[in-house]
Coordinates of all heavy atoms in Angstrom, one line a residue:
M1 N 149.9 63.3 100.8 CA 149.1 63.8 101.9 C 149.2 65.3 101.9 O 150.3 65.9 101.8 CB 149.5 63.2 103.2 CG 148.6 63.6 104.3 SD 149.0 62.5 105.7 CE 148.0 63.2 106.9
L2 N 148.1 66.0 102.1 CA 148.1 67.5 102.2 C 148.5 68.0 103.5 O 148.1 67.4 104.6 CB 146.7 68.0 101.9 CG 146.1 67.8 100.5 CD1 144.6 68.2 100.5 CD2 146.9 68.5 99.4
N3 N 149.3 69.0 103.5 CA 149.7 69.6 104.8 C 148.5 70.6 105.2 O 147.6 70.8 104.5 CB 151.0 70.3 104.8 CG 151.0 71.5 103.9 OD1 150.0 72.2 103.7 ND2 152.2 71.8 103.3
K4 N 148.6 71.1 106.4 CA 147.4 71.9 106.9 C 147.2 73.2 106.1 O 146.1 73.6 106.0 CB 147.6 72.2 108.4 CG 148.8 73.1 108.7 CD 149.0 73.3 110.2 CE 150.2 74.0 110.6 NZ 150.4 74.2 112.0
Y5 N 148.2 73.8 105.5 CA 148.1 75.0 104.7 C 147.3 74.7 103.4 O 146.5 75.4 103.0 CB 149.4 75.6 104.5 CG 150.1 76.0 105.7 CD1 151.2 75.4 106.2 CD2 149.5 77.1 106.5 CE1 151.8 75.8 107.4 CE2 150.1 77.4 107.7 CZ 151.3 76.8 108.1 OH 151.9 77.2 109.3
A6 N 147.7 73.6 102.8 CA 147.1 73.2 101.5 C 145.7 72.8 101.8 O 144.8 73.1 101.0 CB 147.9 72.0 100.9
L7 N 145.4 72.1 102.9 CA 144.0 71.7 103.2 C 143.2 73.0 103.4 O 142.0 73.1 102.9 CB 144.0 70.9 104.5 CG 142.7 70.3 104.9 CD1 142.0 69.5 103.8 CD2 142.8 69.5 106.2
A8 N 143.7 74.0 104.1 CA 142.9 75.2 104.3 C 142.7 75.9 103.0 O 141.6 76.5 102.8 CB 143.7 76.2 105.2
L9 N 143.6 75.9 102.1 CA 143.4 76.5 100.7 C 142.3 75.8 100.0 O 141.5 76.4 99.3 CB 144.8 76.5 100.0 CG 144.7 77.1 98.6 CD1 144.4 78.6 98.7 CD2 146.1 76.9 97.9
V10 N 142.3 74.5 100.0 CA 141.3 73.7 99.3 C 139.9 74.0 99.9 O 138.9 74.2 99.2 CB 141.6 72.2 99.4 CG1 140.5 71.3 98.9 CG2 142.9 71.9 98.6
I11 N 139.8 74.0 101.2 CA 138.5 74.3 101.9 C 138.0 75.7 101.5 O 136.9 75.9 101.2 CB 138.6 74.1 103.4 CG1 138.8 72.6 103.7 CG2 137.4 74.6 104.1 CD1 139.1 72.3 105.1
G12 N 138.9 76.6 101.5 CA 138.6 78.0 101.2 C 138.1 78.2 99.8 O 137.1 78.8 99.5
A13 N 138.7 77.5 98.9 CA 138.3 77.6 97.4 C 137.0 76.9 97.2 O 136.1 77.4 96.5 CB 139.4 76.9 96.6
A14 N 136.7 75.8 98.0 CA 135.4 75.2 97.8 C 134.3 76.1 98.4 O 133.2 76.1 97.8 CB 135.5 73.8 98.6
T15 N 134.6 76.8 99.5 CA 133.6 77.6 100.1 C 133.2 78.8 99.1 O 132.1 79.1 98.9 CB 134.1 78.2 101.4 OG1 134.4 77.1 102.3 CG2 133.1 79.1 102.1
I16 N 134.3 79.4 98.5 CA 134.0 80.5 97.6 C 133.3 80.0 96.4 O 132.3 80.7 95.9 CB 135.4 81.1 97.2 CG1 136.0 81.9 98.4 CG2 135.2 82.1 96.0 CD1 137.4 82.3 98.2
G17 N 133.6 78.9 95.9 CA 132.9 78.4 94.7 C 131.4 78.1 95.0 O 130.6 78.4 94.1
S18 N 131.1 77.6 96.1 CA 129.7 77.3 96.4 C 128.9 78.6 96.7 O 127.7 78.7 96.3 CB 129.5 76.4 97.6 OG 130.0 77.0 98.8
A19 N 129.6 79.6 97.2 CA 128.9 80.9 97.4 C 128.6 81.6 96.1 O 127.6 82.2 95.9 CB 129.8 81.8 98.3
A20 N 129.5 81.5 95.2 CA 129.3 82.1 93.9 C 128.2 81.4 93.1 O 127.6 82.0 92.2 CB 130.7 82.1 93.1
A21 N 127.9 80.2 93.3 CA 127.0 79.4 92.6 C 125.5 79.7 93.0 O 124.6 79.4 92.4 CB 127.2 77.9 92.8
Q22 N 125.3 80.4 94.1 CA 124.0 80.8 94.6 C 123.4 81.8 93.7 O 124.0 82.7 93.2 CB 124.0 81.3 96.0 CG 124.5 80.3 97.0 CD 124.6 80.9 98.5 OE1 124.3 82.0 98.7 NE2 124.9 80.0 99.4
Q23 N 122.1 81.6 93.4 CA 121.4 82.6 92.5 C 120.7 83.7 93.4 O 120.2 83.4 94.5 CB 120.3 81.8 91.8 CG 120.9 80.8 90.8 CD 119.8 80.1 90.0 OE1 118.7 80.2 90.3 NE2 120.2 79.5 88.9
V24 N 120.7 84.8 92.8 CA 120.1 86.0 93.4 C 118.8 86.3 92.7 O 118.7 86.2 91.4 CB 121.0 87.2 93.3 CG1 120.3 88.5 93.8 CG2 122.3 87.0 94.0
P25 N 117.7 86.6 93.4 CA 116.4 86.8 92.7 C 116.5 88.0 91.8 O 117.3 88.9 92.0 CB 115.4 87.2 93.8 CG 116.1 86.9 95.1 CD 117.6 86.7 94.8
A26 N 115.7 88.1 90.7 CA 115.8 89.1 89.7 C 115.6 90.5 90.3 O 116.4 91.4 90.0 CB 114.8 88.9 88.6
N27 N 114.6 90.7 91.2 CA 114.4 92.0 91.8 C 113.9 91.7 93.2 O 112.7 91.6 93.5 CB 113.4 92.8 91.1 CG 113.3 94.2 91.6 OD1 113.8 94.5 92.7 ND2 112.5 95.0 91.0
P28 N 114.9 91.7 94.2 CA 114.5 91.4 95.6 C 113.6 92.5 96.2 O 113.0 92.2 97.2 CB 115.8 91.2 96.3 CG 116.8 92.0 95.5 CD 116.3 91.9 94.1
N29 N 113.5 93.7 95.6 CA 112.7 94.8 96.2 C 111.3 94.9 95.6 O 110.6 95.8 95.9 CB 113.5 96.1 96.0 CG 114.8 96.1 96.8 OD1 114.9 95.6 97.9 ND2 115.8 96.7 96.2
A30 N 111.0 94.0 94.7 CA 109.7 94.0 94.0 C 108.6 93.7 95.0 O 108.8 92.8 95.8 CB 109.7 93.1 92.8
P31 N 107.5 94.4 95.0 CA 106.4 94.1 95.9 C 105.8 92.7 95.6 O 105.7 92.4 94.4 CB 105.4 95.2 95.7 CG 105.7 95.8 94.4 CD 107.2 95.5 94.1
S32 N 105.5 92.0 96.6 CA 104.9 90.7 96.4 C 103.4 90.7 96.4 O 102.7 89.8 96.1 CB 105.4 89.7 97.5 OG 105.0 90.2 98.8
N33 N 102.8 91.8 96.8 CA 101.4 92.0 96.8 C 100.9 92.8 95.6 O 101.3 93.9 95.5 CB 101.0 92.8 98.1 CG 99.5 92.9 98.2 OD1 98.7 92.7 97.3 ND2 99.0 93.2 99.4
P34 N 100.2 92.2 94.6 CA 99.9 92.9 93.4 C 99.0 94.1 93.6 O 98.9 95.0 92.8 CB 99.1 91.8 92.6 CG 98.7 90.8 93.5 CD 99.6 90.8 94.7
A35 N 98.3 94.2 94.8 CA 97.5 95.4 95.1 C 98.4 96.6 95.4 O 97.9 97.7 95.4 CB 96.5 95.1 96.2
V36 N 99.6 96.4 95.7 CA 100.5 97.5 96.1 C 101.4 97.9 94.9 O 102.0 97.1 94.2 CB 101.5 97.0 97.2 CG1 102.5 98.1 97.6 CG2 100.6 96.6 98.4
T37 N 101.4 99.1 94.6 CA 102.3 99.7 93.6 C 103.3 100.6 94.1 O 103.2 101.1 95.2 CB 101.4 100.4 92.5 OG1 100.8 101.5 93.2 CG2 100.4 99.6 91.9
M38 N 104.3 100.8 93.4 CA 105.4 101.8 93.8 C 105.0 103.2 93.3 O 104.3 103.3 92.3 CB 106.7 101.3 93.2 CG 107.1 99.9 93.6 SD 107.0 99.6 95.4 CE 108.5 100.5 95.9
P39 N 105.5 104.2 94.0 CA 105.2 105.6 93.5 C 105.6 105.8 92.1 O 106.6 105.2 91.6 CB 106.0 106.4 94.5 CG 106.3 105.6 95.7 CD 106.3 104.2 95.1
T40 N 104.9 106.7 91.4 CA 105.2 107.0 90.1 C 106.4 107.9 90.0 O 106.7 108.6 91.0 CB 104.0 107.8 89.4 OG1 103.8 108.9 90.2 CG2 102.8 106.9 89.3
P41 N 107.2 108.0 88.9 CA 108.4 108.8 88.8 C 108.1 110.2 89.2 O 109.0 110.9 89.7 CB 108.8 108.6 87.4 CG 108.3 107.3 87.0 CD 106.9 107.2 87.7
S42 N 106.9 110.7 88.9 CA 106.7 112.2 89.1 C 106.5 112.5 90.6 O 106.4 113.6 91.0 CB 105.4 112.6 88.4 OG 104.3 111.9 88.9
G43 N 106.4 111.4 91.4 CA 106.2 111.6 92.9 C 104.7 111.6 93.3 O 104.4 111.6 94.4
A44 N 103.8 111.4 92.3 CA 102.4 111.4 92.6 C 102.1 110.0 93.3 O 102.7 109.0 93.0 CB 101.6 111.5 91.3
A45 N 101.1 110.1 94.2 CA 100.7 108.8 94.9 C 100.1 107.9 93.9 O 99.3 108.4 93.0 CB 99.8 109.1 96.0
P46 N 100.4 106.6 93.9 CA 99.8 105.7 92.9 C 98.3 105.5 93.2 O 97.9 105.6 94.4 CB 100.6 104.4 93.1 CG 101.2 104.5 94.5 CD 101.4 106.0 94.8
V47 N 97.5 105.4 92.2 CA 96.1 105.1 92.4 C 95.9 103.6 92.0 O 96.3 103.2 90.9 CB 95.2 106.0 91.5 CG1 93.8 105.6 91.6 CG2 95.4 107.4 91.9
V48 N 95.4 102.8 92.9 CA 95.2 101.4 92.7 C 93.7 101.0 92.7 O 92.9 101.8 93.2 CB 96.0 100.5 93.7 CG1 97.5 100.7 93.5 CG2 95.6 100.8 95.1
A49 N 93.4 99.8 92.2 CA 92.0 99.4 92.2 C 91.5 99.0 93.6 O 90.3 99.2 93.8 CB 91.9 98.2 91.2
A50 N 92.3 98.5 94.4 CA 91.9 98.1 95.8 C 92.9 98.4 96.8 O 94.1 98.1 96.5 CB 91.5 96.6 95.8
P51 N 92.6 98.9 97.9 CA 93.6 99.1 99.0 C 94.2 97.8 99.5 O 93.4 96.9 99.7 CB 92.9 100.0 100.0 CG 91.4 99.6 99.8 CD 91.2 99.3 98.4
A52 N 95.4 97.8 99.9 CA 96.1 96.7 100.4 C 95.9 96.7 101.9 O 96.1 97.7 102.6 CB 97.5 96.6 100.1
A53 N 95.5 95.5 102.5 CA 95.3 95.4 103.9 C 96.7 95.3 104.6 O 97.6 94.7 104.0 CB 94.5 94.2 104.3
G54 N 96.9 95.9 105.7 CA 98.1 95.8 106.5 C 98.2 96.7 107.6 O 97.3 97.6 107.8
A55 N 99.1 96.6 108.5 CA 99.3 97.4 109.6 C 99.6 98.9 109.2 O 100.7 99.1 108.7 CB 100.4 96.9 110.6
N56 N 98.7 99.8 109.4 CA 98.8 101.1 108.9 C 99.4 102.0 110.0 O 98.7 102.1 111.0 CB 97.5 101.7 108.4 CG 97.6 102.9 107.5 OD1 98.4 103.7 107.8 ND2 96.7 103.0 106.5
S57 N 100.5 102.7 109.8 CA 101.1 103.5 110.8 C 100.8 105.0 110.5 O 101.2 105.9 111.3 CB 102.6 103.3 110.8 OG 103.2 103.7 109.6
F58 N 100.0 105.3 109.4 CA 99.6 106.7 109.2 C 98.6 107.1 110.3 O 97.7 106.4 110.7 CB 98.9 106.9 107.8 CG 99.8 106.7 106.7 CD1 99.6 105.7 105.8 CD2 100.8 107.6 106.4 CE1 100.4 105.5 104.7 CE2 101.6 107.5 105.3 CZ 101.4 106.4 104.4
T59 N 98.8 108.4 110.8 CA 97.8 109.0 111.6 C 96.6 109.5 110.7 O 96.8 109.6 109.5 CB 98.3 110.1 112.5 OG1 98.7 111.2 111.6 CG2 99.5 109.7 113.3
E60 N 95.5 109.8 111.3 CA 94.4 110.4 110.6 C 94.9 111.7 109.8 O 94.5 111.9 108.6 CB 93.2 110.7 111.5 CG 92.1 111.3 110.7 CD 90.9 111.6 111.7 OE1 91.0 111.3 112.9 OE2 89.9 112.2 111.2
M61 N 95.6 112.5 110.5 CA 96.1 113.8 109.9 C 97.0 113.5 108.7 O 97.0 114.2 107.7 CB 96.7 114.7 110.9 CG 95.8 115.2 112.0 SD 94.3 116.0 111.3 CE 95.1 117.4 110.6
Q62 N 97.9 112.5 108.8 CA 98.8 112.1 107.7 C 98.1 111.6 106.5 O 98.4 111.9 105.4 CB 99.9 111.1 108.2 CG 100.9 111.7 109.2 CD 101.7 110.6 109.8 OE1 101.3 109.5 110.1 NE2 103.0 111.0 110.1
A63 N 97.0 110.7 106.8 CA 96.2 110.2 105.7 C 95.5 111.3 105.0 O 95.4 111.4 103.7 CB 95.2 109.2 106.2
K64 N 94.9 112.3 105.8 CA 94.2 113.4 105.2 C 95.2 114.3 104.4 O 94.9 114.7 103.3 CB 93.6 114.2 106.3 CG 92.8 115.4 105.8 CD 92.1 116.2 106.9 CE 91.3 117.3 106.4 NZ 90.6 118.1 107.4
A65 N 96.4 114.5 104.9 CA 97.4 115.4 104.2 C 97.8 114.7 102.9 O 98.0 115.4 101.8 CB 98.6 115.6 105.1
R66 N 97.9 113.4 102.9 CA 98.3 112.6 101.7 C 97.2 112.8 100.6 O 97.5 113.0 99.4 CB 98.5 111.2 102.0 CG 99.0 110.4 100.8 CD 99.8 109.2 101.3 NE 100.4 108.4 100.2 CZ 101.6 108.6 99.6 NH1 102.3 109.6 100.1 NH2 102.0 107.9 98.7
L67 N 95.9 112.7 101.0 CA 94.8 112.9 100.1 C 94.8 114.4 99.6 O 94.7 114.6 98.4 CB 93.5 112.6 100.8 CG 93.3 111.1 101.0 CD1 92.2 110.9 102.1 CD2 92.9 110.4 99.7
E68 N 95.0 115.3 100.4 CA 95.0 116.7 100.0 C 96.2 117.0 99.1 O 96.0 117.8 98.1 CB 95.0 117.6 101.3 CG 93.7 117.6 102.1 CD 93.8 118.3 103.4 OE1 94.9 118.6 103.9 OE2 92.7 118.6 103.9
N69 N 97.3 116.4 99.3 CA 98.5 116.6 98.4 C 98.2 116.0 97.0 O 98.9 116.4 96.1 CB 99.7 115.9 99.0 CG 100.3 116.7 100.1 OD1 100.0 117.9 100.3 ND2 101.1 116.0 101.0
Q70 N 97.2 115.2 96.9 CA 96.9 114.6 95.6 C 95.6 115.3 95.0 O 95.0 114.8 94.1 CB 96.6 113.1 95.7 CG 97.9 112.3 96.1 CD 99.0 112.6 95.2 OE1 98.9 112.5 94.0 NE2 100.2 112.9 95.7
G71 N 95.3 116.4 95.6 CA 94.2 117.2 94.9 C 92.8 117.1 95.5 O 91.9 117.7 95.0
F72 N 92.7 116.3 96.6 CA 91.4 116.2 97.3 C 91.1 117.3 98.2 O 92.0 117.8 98.9 CB 91.3 114.9 98.0 CG 91.2 113.7 97.1 CD1 92.3 113.0 96.8 CD2 90.0 113.2 96.6 CE1 92.3 111.9 95.9 CE2 89.9 112.1 95.8 CZ 91.0 111.4 95.5
T73 N 89.9 117.8 98.2 CA 89.5 118.9 99.2 C 88.3 118.3 100.0 O 87.7 117.3 99.6 CB 89.1 120.2 98.5 OG1 88.0 119.9 97.6 CG2 90.2 120.7 97.7
G74 N 88.0 119.0 101.1 CA 86.9 118.6 101.9 C 86.9 117.2 102.4 O 85.9 116.5 102.4
V75 N 88.1 116.7 102.7 CA 88.3 115.3 103.2 C 87.7 115.2 104.6 O 88.0 115.9 105.5 CB 89.8 114.9 103.2 CG1 89.9 113.5 103.8 CG2 90.4 115.0 101.8
T76 N 86.7 114.3 104.7 CA 86.0 114.2 106.0 C 85.7 112.7 106.3 O 85.8 111.8 105.4 CB 84.6 114.9 105.9 OG1 83.8 114.3 104.9 CG2 84.7 116.4 105.7
G77 N 85.4 112.4 107.5 CA 85.0 111.1 108.0 C 86.0 110.0 107.9 O 85.7 108.8 107.8
L78 N 87.3 110.4 108.0 CA 88.3 109.4 107.9 C 88.3 108.5 109.1 O 88.4 109.0 110.2 CB 89.7 110.0 107.7 CG 90.1 110.5 106.4 CD1 91.5 111.2 106.4 CD2 90.1 109.4 105.3
T79 N 88.2 107.2 108.9 CA 88.3 106.2 110.0 C 89.1 105.0 109.5 O 89.1 104.7 108.3 CB 86.9 105.7 110.4 OG1 86.2 105.1 109.3 CG2 86.0 106.8 111.0
K80 N 89.8 104.4 110.4 CA 90.7 103.3 110.0 C 89.9 102.0 110.2 O 89.4 101.8 111.4 CB 92.0 103.2 110.8 CG 93.0 102.2 110.3 CD 94.3 102.1 111.0 CE 94.7 103.1 111.9 NZ 96.1 102.9 112.5
D81 N 89.7 101.2 109.2 CA 88.9 99.9 109.3 C 89.8 98.8 109.9 O 91.0 99.0 110.2 CB 88.3 99.6 108.0 CG 89.3 99.2 106.9 OD1 90.4 98.9 107.2 OD2 88.8 99.1 105.7
T82 N 89.2 97.6 110.0 CA 89.9 96.5 110.6 C 91.1 96.0 109.7 O 91.9 95.2 110.2 CB 88.9 95.3 110.8 OG1 88.3 95.0 109.6 CG2 87.9 95.7 111.9
D83 N 91.1 96.4 108.4 CA 92.2 96.0 107.5 C 93.3 97.0 107.6 O 94.3 96.9 106.8 CB 91.7 95.9 106.1 CG 90.8 94.6 105.9 OD1 91.0 93.6 106.6 OD2 89.9 94.7 105.0
G84 N 93.2 98.1 108.4 CA 94.2 99.1 108.5 C 94.1 100.1 107.4 O 95.1 100.8 107.1
V85 N 93.0 100.2 106.7 CA 92.8 101.2 105.6 C 92.0 102.4 106.1 O 91.0 102.2 106.7 CB 92.1 100.5 104.4 CG1 91.8 101.5 103.3 CG2 92.9 99.3 103.9
W86 N 92.5 103.6 105.9 CA 91.8 104.8 106.2 C 90.8 105.0 105.1 O 91.1 105.0 103.9 CB 92.8 106.0 106.3 CG 93.6 106.0 107.5 CD1 94.9 105.6 107.7 CD2 93.2 106.5 108.8 NE1 95.3 105.8 109.0 CE2 94.2 106.3 109.7 CE3 92.0 107.0 109.3 CZ2 94.2 106.6 111.0 CZ3 91.9 107.3 110.6 CH2 93.0 107.1 111.5
R87 N 89.5 105.2 105.5 CA 88.4 105.4 104.5 C 87.6 106.7 104.9 O 87.4 106.9 106.1 CB 87.5 104.2 104.5 CG 88.2 102.9 104.1 CD 87.2 101.8 104.0 NE 87.9 100.5 103.7 CZ 88.2 100.0 102.5 NH1 87.8 100.7 101.5 NH2 88.8 98.9 102.4
G88 N 87.2 107.4 103.9 CA 86.4 108.6 104.2 C 85.8 109.1 102.9 O 85.8 108.4 101.9
M89 N 85.5 110.4 102.9 CA 85.0 111.1 101.7 C 85.9 112.3 101.3 O 86.5 112.9 102.2 CB 83.5 111.6 102.0 CG 82.5 110.5 102.2 SD 82.3 109.4 100.8 CE 81.5 110.5 99.7
G90 N 85.9 112.6 100.0 CA 86.7 113.7 99.6 C 86.1 114.2 98.2 O 85.4 113.5 97.6
T91 N 86.5 115.4 97.9 CA 86.1 116.0 96.6 C 87.3 116.2 95.7 O 88.3 116.8 96.2 CB 85.3 117.3 96.9 OG1 84.2 117.0 97.7 CG2 84.9 117.9 95.5
K92 N 87.2 115.9 94.5 CA 88.3 116.1 93.5 C 87.7 116.5 92.2 O 86.8 115.8 91.7 CB 89.2 114.9 93.4 CG 90.5 115.1 92.6 CD 91.4 113.9 92.6 CE 92.7 114.1 91.9 NZ 93.5 112.9 92.0
A93 N 88.2 117.6 91.6 CA 87.7 118.0 90.3 C 86.1 118.2 90.4 O 85.4 117.9 89.4 CB 88.1 117.1 89.2
G94 N 85.6 118.7 91.5 CA 84.2 119.0 91.7 C 83.4 117.7 91.9 O 82.1 117.8 91.9
R95 N 84.0 116.6 92.0 CA 83.2 115.3 92.2 C 83.5 114.8 93.6 O 84.6 114.5 94.0 CB 83.6 114.3 91.2 CG 82.8 113.1 91.1 CD 83.3 112.2 90.0 NE 83.1 110.8 90.4 CZ 84.1 109.9 90.4 NH1 85.3 110.2 90.0 NH2 83.9 108.7 90.9
S96 N 82.4 114.5 94.4 CA 82.5 113.9 95.7 C 82.6 112.4 95.6 O 81.9 111.8 94.8 CB 81.3 114.3 96.6 OG 81.4 113.8 97.8
M97 N 83.5 111.8 96.3 CA 83.7 110.3 96.2 C 84.3 109.7 97.5 O 84.8 110.5 98.3 CB 84.7 110.1 95.0 CG 86.1 110.6 95.2 SD 87.1 110.4 93.8 CE 86.7 111.9 92.9
S98 N 84.2 108.4 97.5 CA 84.8 107.7 98.6 C 86.3 107.6 98.3 O 86.7 107.4 97.2 CB 84.3 106.2 98.7 OG 82.9 106.3 99.0
V99 N 87.1 107.7 99.4 CA 88.6 107.7 99.2 C 89.1 106.8 100.3 O 88.6 106.6 101.4 CB 89.2 109.1 99.4 CG1 88.8 109.9 98.2 CG2 88.8 109.8 100.6
S100 N 90.3 106.1 100.0 CA 90.9 105.2 100.9 C 92.4 105.5 100.8 O 93.0 105.8 99.7 CB 90.7 103.8 100.6 OG 89.3 103.5 100.6
V101 N 93.1 105.3 101.9 CA 94.6 105.3 101.9 C 95.1 104.0 102.7 O 94.7 103.8 103.8 CB 95.1 106.5 102.7 CG1 96.7 106.5 102.7 CG2 94.6 107.8 102.1
D102 N 95.8 103.2 102.0 CA 96.3 101.9 102.6 C 97.6 102.2 103.3 O 98.2 103.3 103.3 CB 96.3 100.8 101.6 CG 97.4 100.9 100.5 OD1 98.3 101.7 100.6 OD2 97.3 100.2 99.5
Y103 N 98.1 101.1 103.9 CA 99.4 101.2 104.7 C 100.6 101.6 103.9 O 101.6 102.1 104.4 CB 99.6 99.9 105.4 CG 100.2 98.8 104.5 CD1 101.6 98.5 104.6 CD2 99.5 98.0 103.7 CE1 102.2 97.5 103.8 CE2 100.0 97.0 102.9 CZ 101.4 96.8 103.0 OH 101.9 95.8 102.2
R104 N 100.6 101.5 102.6 CA 101.7 101.9 101.7 C 101.5 103.3 101.2 O 102.4 103.8 100.5 CB 101.8 101.0 100.5 CG 102.3 99.5 100.8 CD 103.7 99.5 101.2 NE 104.6 100.0 100.2 CZ 105.3 99.4 99.3 NH1 105.1 98.1 99.2 NH2 106.1 100.0 98.4
G105 N 100.4 103.9 101.5 CA 100.1 105.3 101.0 C 99.4 105.3 99.7 O 99.1 106.4 99.1
N106 N 99.0 104.1 99.2 CA 98.2 104.0 97.9 C 96.9 104.7 98.2 O 96.3 104.4 99.2 CB 98.1 102.6 97.5 CG 99.4 101.9 97.1 OD1 100.3 102.5 96.6 ND2 99.5 100.6 97.4
I107 N 96.4 105.4 97.2 CA 95.1 106.1 97.3 C 94.1 105.4 96.3 O 94.5 105.1 95.2 CB 95.2 107.5 96.9 CG1 96.0 108.3 98.0 CG2 93.9 108.2 96.7 CD1 96.4 109.7 97.6
V108 N 92.9 105.0 96.9 CA 91.9 104.4 96.1 C 90.7 105.4 96.1 O 90.3 105.8 97.2 CB 91.5 103.1 96.6 CG1 90.3 102.5 95.8 CG2 92.6 102.1 96.6
E109 N 90.2 105.8 94.9 CA 89.1 106.7 94.8 C 88.0 106.0 94.1 O 88.2 105.2 93.2 CB 89.5 108.0 94.1 CG 90.2 107.8 92.8 CD 90.8 109.1 92.2 OE1 91.7 109.6 92.8 OE2 90.2 109.5 91.2
K110 N 86.7 106.1 94.6 CA 85.6 105.5 94.0 C 84.4 106.5 93.9 O 84.2 107.2 94.7 CB 85.1 104.3 94.9 CG 86.1 103.2 94.9 CD 85.6 102.0 95.6 CE 86.6 100.9 95.7 NZ 86.2 99.7 96.3

């Protein structure tokens, strides 16, 4: 019969063994939304095909500054739509286009 110390040792070893057997996901920080990309190594804002819907905490001025930091000029008409995406117009490389900034800061130009 096991005394109380031996029993505690057996229970402790079993607990450690079961904790070690748990698997950890390959990359727990990977985005689960394929429309969302991570910033490029150079620090440039990623350009994606479609903006991701989500609760956007950027102010209009922050969204405009983000676009301007990526080379857009004459950014006008920024409004936040029901998906939380800032949409407006901007000029880049002499071309006027529709621009969007999603909740992750991704920029979509069309």
